[in-house]
Amino acid sequence: MKYIVRITSVMALAFLLGCNSQKNKGEHSHDGGETHSHSTKSFSNMTHYFGAYNLEDEEYGTKTKVTLTKDARVMVTNALPNHKTGEFPNPGNPNTISAQNNTYSFPLNPKYTGKATWAREPGIALNGIKFEPGTAEVVECDTGENYRVEALQDVIDLGLDFNHAHVQPTGAYHYHGTPTSVIEEFDAGEDLVHVGFAHDGFPMYYSKSGKFKPSYKAIDGNREGEDCTYENPHQSIDISVGGHHDGTFTSDFEYIAGSGDLDECNGITIDGGYMYLVTAEFPYISRCLMGEL
């Protein structure tokens, strides 16, 4: 076996998700398409990581331990992934993966507020690696425009690997998009793969079928800005920001309520329980949280 996982207690997902959540979405359609619903018959294979567990991987050095208290799910981790990664350093990312010393506490009984709160780091994967969809990279124009660069784009090489992840100067490996290897490692055979917990306590999933669609759309029209530059400690690049909104920058997208299945935080209520979806489309990972922090 590649790594050891010791499960010391299991909680039913229906119980964990049933409190303080939105009303279920029933039959509906998008843009006049086929009517469908998102009811899920069984979460039977998705409960293992709702209890206490200890994940150790000798090959990759992963050490992540989760315990439960009366009110919290506490994760202590060295934040080393339990899977293969790309080569680091690389031309777009000069940093080396190194062990961290992180402790996270998630509410055991999350409370849905319905009020979106921005979150730079919305949650943590089951293996202790953080989700951080946004970047610190900015293109600045002499005409005054600033554009925040998305991690998943083809204009600036940020050195992401096949897990849509790279490494911060601190040595912290982190996911900017769908965590490919996490999905493979934690796949329990259902469409929804449990991949982590958000900091408000609600779970994070990935749908293998991709049936849960975000409600963000590319903005019509063209960007403005002249004499634009991207700089980091290693280089300075002239960037042309003209043209249509193609997803290179965060501001290329706008939220249109009801245009997809998911809310502005990429969340949805299924069978009475609120959860966040990691998706292959923007925003990829939630940029905000709907639960009480």
Side-chain angles (χ1 to χ4, degrees):
M1 185 168 63
K2 187 175 180 181
Y3 56 83
I4 300 171
V5 179
R6 297 185 179 91
I7 307 294
T8 57
S9 66
V10 174
M11 287 189 172
L13 179 60
F15 172 78
L16 284 166
L17 301 183
C19 300
N20 301 294
S21 59
Q22 290 178 311
K23 295 180 180 179
N24 269 328
K25 287 189 175 182
E27 294 280 335
H28 61 284
S29 64
H30 303 292
D31 299 325
E34 182 180 354
T35 300
H36 61 284
S37 70
H38 296 300
S39 177
T40 301
K41 293 182 179 180
S42 174
F43 287 107
S44 61
N45 292 329
M46 302 182 195
T47 58
H48 294 172
Y49 293 92
F50 283 86
Y53 65 89
N54 187 25
L55 190 156
E56 299 177 3
D57 189 308
E58 294 182 359
E59 180 179 1
Y60 299 110
T62 313
K63 292 184 179 180
T64 296
K65 184 175 183 179
V66 173
T67 57
L68 304 184
T69 68
K70 179 182 177 181
D71 300 310
R73 183 186 318 280
V74 180
M75 174 186 287
V76 178
T77 179
N78 66 0
L80 290 177
N82 62 326
H83 55 69
K84 290 182 179 180
T85 71
E87 294 292 330
F88 295 99
N90 63 44
N93 188 264
N95 307 312
T96 301
I97 298 173
S98 62
Q100 309 293 299
N101 183 17
N102 297 334
T103 299
Y104 302 104
S105 181
F106 311 91
L108 194 59
N109 299 294
K111 297 179 180 179
Y112 179 84
T113 66
K115 182 180 179 180
T117 302
W118 178 81
R120 179 183 61 82
E121 178 190 293
I124 308 297
L126 298 177
N127 60 2
I129 306 300
K130 62 182 178 179
F131 290 103
E132 193 169 325
T135 76
E137 318 303 319
V138 178
V139 170
E140 298 183 347
C141 303
D142 287 350
T143 47
E145 296 84 358
N146 292 335
Y147 292 98
R148 179 76 62 177
V149 180
E150 277 295 300
L152 279 63
Q153 41 73 36
D154 299 321
V155 175
I156 299 171
D157 180 11
L158 299 181
L160 270 65
D161 66 8
F162 49 86
N163 296 303
H164 303 109
H166 63 182
V167 187
Q168 292 174 331
T170 60
Y173 185 76
H174 57 288
Y175 305 116
H176 280 282
T178 52
T180 307
S181 296
V182 170
I183 295 165
E184 294 174 355
E185 293 289 347
F186 294 98
D187 186 351
E190 304 286 346
D191 178 56
L192 288 177
V193 181
H194 184 195
V195 295
F197 288 97
H199 283 298
D200 59 7
F202 287 108
M204 303 174 72
Y205 286 91
Y206 174 79
S207 169
K208 292 185 293 185
S209 68
K211 64 181 179 180
F212 302 96
K213 300 302 181 183
S215 296
Y216 286 84
K217 303 293 183 181
I219 297 174
D220 291 333
N222 295 323
R223 303 190 204 99
E224 296 181 353
E226 296 180 3
D227 298 323
C228 306
T229 306
Y230 164 71
E231 295 183 352
N232 64 34
H234 308 285
Q235 61 183 337
S236 176
I237 306 173
D238 292 335
I239 301 291
S240 174
V241 301
H244 66 283
H245 299 84
D246 60 2
T248 299
F249 306 107
T250 306
S251 57
D252 285 347
F253 298 95
E254 62 180 340
Y255 172 67
I256 302 176
S259 61
D261 304 298
L262 307 179
D263 63 23
E264 60 187 304
C265 297
N266 240 31
I268 190 173
T269 297
I270 301 177
D271 293 346
Y274 186 75
M275 63 181 69
Y276 299 101
L277 268 293
V278 176
T279 54
E281 303 88 11
F282 186 90
Y284 313 112
I285 300 165
S286 175
R287 311 293 175 104
C288 57
L289 297 175
M290 284 289 192
E292 187 175 287
L293 295 171

